[in-house]
Amino acid sequence: GQSLEQPSEVTAVEGAIVQINCTYQTSGFYGLSWYQQHDGGAPTFLSYNALDGLEETGRFSSFLSRSDSYGYLLLQELQMKDSASYFCAVNSNYQLIWGAGTKLIIKP
Amino acid sequence: ETGVTQSPTHLIKTRGQQVTLRCSSQSGHNTVSWYQQALGQGPQFIFQYYREEENGRGNFPPRFSGLQFPNYSSELNVNALELNDSALYLCASSSSTWLAGGGGTQYFGPGTRLLVL
């Protein structure tokens, strides 16, 4: 089967750093994407890793280890507007295979 | 701004009816994918169209069908609606470099929220 595992909920304090982990098991793998989705909104693209290592985009960084079938999203200097659900998704052949999402709760 | 639009935004249907959802892809994108997202879950891939041909399909029954037009806009049709078809339906467009792992990204529209009673 194909599956992605990520925590259902993470709580952090404004200004802090939080890491959201994702492990995957899929039949095809081209890369790992991360999306943000606010309640009632559309998913918006955050980052994509095709190769092992760290990709940095502003306050957000994403890491991939293909040998471990593992990746994470790192959010720094958390702001209240970062409260949302975060999804990891595997680029597999012609589709994205999604995890169930991690709800990030930020406390002041 | 992604440029992907979907219509309608909300829809209420009864069991057994048929529904058509529409999507206009971002300018320059020739690939459209449709996803179903149930409440509290990640999106599930329905199918993808590339240059008016279906070139990939997820685990959805044949009553889910689609079309892509020469201008790359797309329709999702669902026949014989069932209660568990109630969900957010998302359309995503991308360039052909996204296919087969070419990287890039998919841009999502705001979705159509379908409620089946």
Side-chain angles (χ1 to χ4, degrees):
Chain A
Q2 307 198 91
S3 65
L4 284 85
E5 298 291 330
Q6 54 182 127
S8 59
E9 188 175 292
V10 172
T11 301
V13 177
E14 191 176 15
I17 299 172
V18 72
Q19 178 173 314
I20 299 173
N21 298 320
C22 174
T23 57
Y24 59 87
Q25 182 178 351
T26 59
S27 58
F29 181 88
Y30 290 105
L32 187 68
S33 297
W34 288 91
Y35 284 82
Q36 178 193 63
Q37 187 177 32
H38 287 97
D39 284 347
T44 55
F45 174 78
L46 294 176
S47 69
Y48 174 72
N49 295 69
L51 303 175
D52 286 359
L54 191 68
E55 294 281 342
E56 297 181 71
T57 308
R59 295 187 298 115
F60 294 173
S61 302
S62 58
F63 171 83
L64 175 66
S65 169
R66 294 177 69 128
S67 60
D68 295 324
S69 299
Y70 164 76
Y72 67 72
L73 178 70
L74 191 72
L75 297 84
Q76 302 182 73
E77 301 172 17
L78 284 172
Q79 302 174 11
M80 296 304 293
K81 67 177 182 179
D82 297 329
S83 295
S85 291
Y86 292 83
F87 292 88
C88 57
V90 166
N91 290 31
S92 175
N93 301 320
Y94 45 76
Q95 64 174 294
L96 283 172
I97 302 171
W98 297 69
T102 298
K103 186 175 181 65
L104 175 60
I105 299 170
I106 300 175
K107 296 184 175 181
Chain B
E1 189 172 356
T2 65
V4 180
T5 61
Q6 292 185 243
S7 63
T9 55
H10 295 82
L11 202 53
I12 299 175
K13 291 285 188 178
T14 56
R15 206 168 32 174
Q17 285 189 309
Q18 178 266 343
V19 68
T20 297
L21 310 182
R22 295 179 175 83
C23 170
S24 292
S25 59
Q26 182 164 321
S27 176
H29 285 179
N30 55 18
T31 302
V32 173
S33 302
W34 286 91
Y35 293 85
Q36 180 196 67
Q37 186 177 23
L39 201 61
Q41 298 182 21
Q44 298 290 316
F45 175 72
I46 303 175
F47 44 56
Q48 179 180 88
Y49 279 82
Y50 171 62
R51 292 185 174 179
E52 303 176 57
E53 298 280 337
E54 183 183 299
N55 77 329
R57 189 178 184 92
N59 189 27
F60 279 81
R63 60 189 185 84
F64 285 78
S65 63
L67 285 172
Q68 186 180 32
F69 301 99
N71 66 354
Y72 303 130
S73 65
S74 178
E75 284 182 358
L76 164 66
N77 299 290
V78 187
N79 294 321
L81 283 167
E82 301 177 359
L83 295 179
N84 62 8
D85 294 333
S86 296
L88 179 68
Y89 288 85
L90 295 162
C91 164
S93 77
S94 52
S95 69
S96 56
T97 57
W98 186 85
L99 293 173
T105 185
Q106 288 194 312
Y107 293 93
F108 282 81
T112 294
R113 190 163 297 280
L114 172 65
L115 177 62
V116 182
L117 301 176

